[in-house]
């Protein structure tokens, strides 16, 4: 089968062996796959992963393991599915504590020790799957993973007393957070750089400003950093009020590391001086995301700026890195 | 009068003009002053401050402003006092919100736009003052400021279900946090580097380990970083469990900044991946600290490793930077 693989470099593998589902697993045929910034990080060798890329998908269950029960077979075969990207053990202390997205033995689809969905076929455990409601199109369902993360970030916020919330960054993560958080009892604005994304905010009735235009007045109750850049965290510290909260959403660009040193580091002394709470936020609930899509609460289709065939995946990844792109989709 | 001043360099000023108390202020005669790591940062030009150093003190009120009320005069003159180091406006949005330690117009004793206590005399507003209880010696009361900060850090922790708490760093801040947090319903250990400080922990019945001996197993519910170094935050991220909490206590050594770039920065991606909450913590309540000292809950006298006369302050600051010193006191 066709698959986009990273080992020491990015490679379109035209004769990748089709995977076979293990016990408790489903074989899924990819209908849509989304290119995320973490895929770009993998393709640049910034993430210690080697294998088939991709973790955002909408697919159809092709078949289960031969020993799967008749009930499971009936439940899943032929169904359209989205799914959690964390493959968990269910037995470690964190799984038992209800923190299974942090499972100590976890694998992560297309990101850590598990081949991903930039392929014709891939596998996931049945317990990771969630059926896509009939009224949610594949083009929408492919956003389940980043939307789940945005909903999760919103769940980490206590929106009491109509707080001022600033969302930093106008990529997919920022645009999804803005839509979700605009439904809180809060005053929400998005800071970005790209006029075409402001047009979307206008359509959604969300306040927006160019990132260079705002005062750094330490007056925001909550700042959600979706920039994926060290400068984002520095700006977030200048915007948030003393004893306020910063939600740090993105892992793709590490804030300096031994491999990719950041010459200036990030000065965290404002965080201590202002007694700010910084909360890291990663994955959310796929069922929550599908429910939000089914309810029409979130508008994702305008985020699709380009489509490419899986056979053109190399070129598509290159294009996805351009600042004018929001979400680039791969199709079979 | 004698005063230790920093402008472009550290200078013992033998003919500094004695300050005069403004309306609402007290003139205080220094009886003890403590040298803190932030004083060392000022003396190295790492803090944008120019003036008389020092913010840890126990003193006696010499006199008030000439127009002070008879009641105030009777209340304060001749009394032994400790005090809050934040001089606030009482009128800005943060003061009105009860966040007056973050007052937008604040000055900070010996750290920001207000001459400090490394002098024979200094001034503070009456509302900053707190009378030292009779049973608390000057040698103890001089710890009020760092102890208040340690108590404040403990108040930021929710110690539910007997959490595992690791305190990183065996300086004054770490040793005070350890004593305060050992009284929580928690399993507390201190990680340090210096055998003489482990001896103190043994006396206090607090678990301790050498910082190089512990596994980086992501299994601590709460980590309190009192190291004041970027490496501390990196280690804290390796020790804390997913969804755990890191309290970041120290501002003295910024985690990289334009002035003092940290070549490797701090990689905050573990914080996002593990959805950790990082809380900055700074000043606490002086009355709480004096009450803790009066109750005998905290043992501070063994932290005094050296005493010097104010006239020897230059040499004392140099000595205070040595790793075998805990707290160096200045006396008149």
């Amino acid at each position: 089968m066709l698959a986009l693989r990273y080992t020491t470099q990015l490679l379109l593998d035209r004769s990748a062996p089709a995977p076979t589902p293990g016990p408790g697993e489903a074989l899924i045929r990819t209908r849509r796959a989304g290119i995320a910034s973490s895929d770009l990080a993998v393709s640049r060798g910034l993430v210690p992963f080697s294998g088939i890329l991709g973790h955002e998908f909408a697919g159809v269950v092709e078949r289960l393991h031969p020993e799967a029960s008749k009930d499971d077979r009936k439940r899943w075969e032929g169904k359209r599915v989205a799914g959690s990207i964390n493959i968990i053990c269910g037995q470690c202390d964190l799984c038992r504590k209800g923190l299974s997205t942090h499972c100590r033995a976890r694998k992560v689809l297309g990101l850590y020790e598990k081949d991903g969905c930039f392929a014709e076929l891939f596998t996931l455990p049945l317990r990771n799957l969630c059926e896509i409601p009939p009224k949610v199109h594949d083009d929408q369902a492919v956003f389940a993973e980043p939307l789940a993360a945005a909903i999760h970030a919103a769940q980490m916020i206590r929106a009491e007393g109509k707080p001022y919330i600033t969302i930093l960054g106008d990529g997919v993560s920022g645009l999804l957070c803005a839509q979700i958080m605009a439904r809180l009892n809060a005053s929400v604005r998005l800071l970005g750089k790209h006029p075409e994304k402001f047009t979307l905010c206008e359509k959604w009735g969300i306040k927006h400003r160019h990132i260079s235009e705002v005062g750094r007045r330490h007056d925001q109750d909550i700042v959600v950093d979706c920039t994926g850049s060290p400068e984002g965290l520095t700006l977030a510290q200048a915007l948030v009020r003393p004893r306020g909260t910063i939600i740090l959403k993105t892992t793709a660009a590490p804030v300096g590391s031994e491999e990719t040193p950041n010459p200036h580091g990030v000065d965290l002394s404002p965080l201590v001086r202002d007694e700010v709470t910084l909360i890291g936020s990663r994955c959310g609930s796929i069922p929550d995301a599908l429910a939000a899509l089914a309810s029409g609460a979130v508008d994702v289709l305008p985020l699709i700026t380009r489509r490419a065939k899986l056979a053109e995946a190399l070129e598509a990844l290159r294009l996805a890195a351009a600042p004018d792109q929001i979400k680039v989709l791969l199709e079979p």
Side-chain angles (χ1 to χ4, degrees), chain A residues 61 64-79 126 131:
Chain A
V61 175
L64 307 193
H65 184 265
E67 285 167 24
S69 72
K70 208 172 150 186
D71 280 359
D72 276 347
R73 220 177 283 270
K74 193 174 160 203
R75 168 79 191 84
W76 290 111
E77 282 180 355
K79 297 288 166 57
L126 291 178
E131 190 177 349

Side-chain angles (χ1 to χ4, degrees), chain A residues 140-152:
Chain A
Q140 297 171 290
V142 71
F143 286 91
E145 199 277 329
L147 179 57
I151 293 171
H152 181 62

Side-chain angles (χ1 to χ4, degrees), chain A residues 23-316:
Chain A
E25 280 192 333
L27 181 71
I28 301 162
R29 183 166 292 274
T30 306
R31 301 245 293 221
R32 299 286 185 281
I35 299 175
S37 55
S38 43
D39 299 316
L40 302 179
V42 169
S43 74
R44 288 174 189 139
L46 298 174
V47 176
F49 173 70
S50 145
I52 298 170
L53 279 74
H55 59 279
E56 297 181 2
F57 70 92
V60 172
V61 175
E62 182 103 351
R63 63 168 201 270
L64 307 193
H65 184 265
E67 285 167 24
S69 72
K70 208 172 150 186
D71 280 359
D72 276 347
R73 220 177 283 270
K74 193 174 160 203
R75 168 79 191 84
W76 290 111
E77 282 180 355
K79 297 288 166 57
R80 288 194 309 139
V81 292
S84 164
I85 68 174
N86 296 295
I87 295 109
I88 63 167
C89 75
Q91 290 171 357
C92 70
D93 59 326
L94 294 170
C95 283
R96 286 196 312 261
K97 261 186 193 165
L99 296 174
S100 59
T101 56
H102 295 284
C103 167
R104 295 200 188 268
R106 77 178 178 282
K107 301 171 180 184
V108 186
L109 187 71
L111 286 168
Y112 188 68
E113 298 198 350
K114 172 81 179 172
D115 279 336
C117 62
F118 291 172
E120 292 174 60
L121 295 160
F122 65 100
T123 63
L124 263 185
L126 291 178
R127 67 169 158 198
N128 283 44
L129 301 185
C130 191
E131 190 177 349
I132 300 172
K135 65 164 95 163
V136 177
H137 191 275
D138 290 343
D139 282 350
Q140 297 171 290
V142 71
F143 286 91
E145 199 277 329
L147 179 57
I151 293 171
H152 181 62
Q155 287 164 344
M156 286 180 149
I157 288 172
R158 229 181 307 168
E160 288 172 349
K162 207 163 165 54
Y164 289 97
I165 301 181
T166 288
I167 293 156
L168 284 183
D170 55 12
V172 172
S173 172
L175 293 169
L176 292 175
C177 280
Q179 290 189 73
I180 294 295
M181 292 178 189
R183 303 173 77 89
L184 300 173
N185 181 26
S187 175
V188 174
R189 66 173 183 180
L190 177 134
L191 302 186
K193 290 183 175 172
H194 305 96
E196 65 278 15
K197 298 175 188 179
F198 293 154
T199 311
L200 286 174
C201 288
E202 258 153 49
K203 176 183 168 197
W204 300 327
I206 292 169
K207 281 182 282 184
H208 53 87
R209 294 282 293 282
H210 193 281
I211 212 159
S212 66
E213 279 174 8
V214 296
R216 301 180 171 212
R217 281 196 289 266
H218 291 287
D219 58 3
Q220 298 296 297
D221 297 296
I222 296 161
V223 179
V224 185
D225 179 11
C226 301
T227 62
S229 82
E231 292 74 26
L233 183 53
T234 298
L235 179 57
Q237 291 184 91
L239 294 172
V240 74
R241 71 164 167 83
R243 295 270 179 97
T245 299
I246 298 173
I247 308 279
L248 189 57
K249 272 267 308 118
T250 28
T251 48
V255 182
S257 69
E258 278 197 72
E259 291 78 35
T260 55
N262 166 14
H264 294 306
V266 171
D267 182 0
L268 290 181
S269 61
L271 187 131
V272 176
R273 186 194 63 215
D274 294 336
E275 299 189 313
V276 168
T277 296
L278 175 66
I279 305 178
S281 175
R282 194 172 45 101
C283 287
S285 150
I286 299 296
D288 284 3
L290 291 176
L293 289 168
S295 75
V298 190
D299 183 24
V300 294
L301 296 179
L303 305 184
I304 303 170
T305 47
R306 191 175 270 267
R307 292 163 185 276
K309 296 287 175 194
L310 182 57
E312 307 152 354
L314 280 171
E315 170 71 358

Side-chain angles (χ1 to χ4, degrees), chain A residues 1-22:
Chain A
M1 64 170 191
L2 206 55
L4 188 71
R5 187 184 291 281
Y6 180 85
T7 45
T8 53
Q9 61 176 21
L10 208 56
L11 171 90
L12 190 68
D13 187 346
R14 293 179 187 278
S15 56
T20 50

